[in-house]
Amino acid sequence: MFTGIIETLGTIRELQKTGDNVHITIESTITPELKIDQSVAHNGVCLTVVAIQENQYTVTAIRETIEKTNLSDWKTGDLVNLERAMKLGDRLDGHIVQGHVDQTGSCKNVESANGSWYFTFEYDPEWNNLTIEKGSITVNGVSLTVVNSKRNEFSVAIIPYTYEHTNFKTFVPGSKINLEFDVIGKYVSRLHALQK
């Protein structure tokens, strides 16, 4: 379980394919604090640490994860948003994030707003995921508040701190992103669908 509050950025140093799996080696300042079998969210994707060496660690992604996230677009040198699993008893500064990406979307527009930024994202409505005005959404692992909610599109406002300390600064129109919709909203939507 995560909160969507990014701890740091990591840099992808190596991608190695073995069968359908991809082993991803990441360099990060949190590496010395990690342990084998620990869960870490990478752009919102929960992956397990399988190896640690000095300031780099390795995680493995299976085909299911690769197909449902933007992981297939990752390349050496890319910046990845990182968050370790939350501890019981900690403050929940973001919202409840599972680290299970629902679908990918794409950046539609980036608009400067005199010291902050508005990012607009679109996604395929076929999955029946939804956002609500002032509701929670996770974009590449970052817990955010929805503005301008539409059927398959929404915007978020990004403050300078978030812009500088996440990979939002790399987004341009067309950038593929991971989306995890609010878990409570997903349950309500599912219950509503079952009652039809």
Side-chain angles (χ1 to χ4, degrees), residues 59-70:
V59 293
T60 301
I62 62 173
R63 181 171 63 186
E64 170 84 1
T65 303
I66 296 164
E67 288 176 350
K68 292 195 173 175
T69 67
N70 68 2

Side-chain angles (χ1 to χ4, degrees), residues 110-162:
V110 180
E111 179 185 347
S112 178
N114 195 26
S116 61
W117 294 263
Y118 282 96
F119 286 79
T120 301
F121 300 102
E122 55 188 353
Y123 58 94
D124 186 344
E126 178 183 323
W127 296 83
N128 294 320
N129 289 310
L130 54 91
T131 60
I132 60 169
E133 200 71 20
K134 306 301 180 203
S136 297
I137 187 76
T138 307
V139 178
N140 267 15
V142 182
S143 173
L144 298 163
T145 301
V146 171
V147 295
N148 198 22
S149 175
K150 297 180 181 175
R151 182 164 186 265
N152 66 322
E153 182 181 300
F154 66 93
S155 298
V156 294
I158 300 296
I159 62 173
Y161 183 88
T162 304

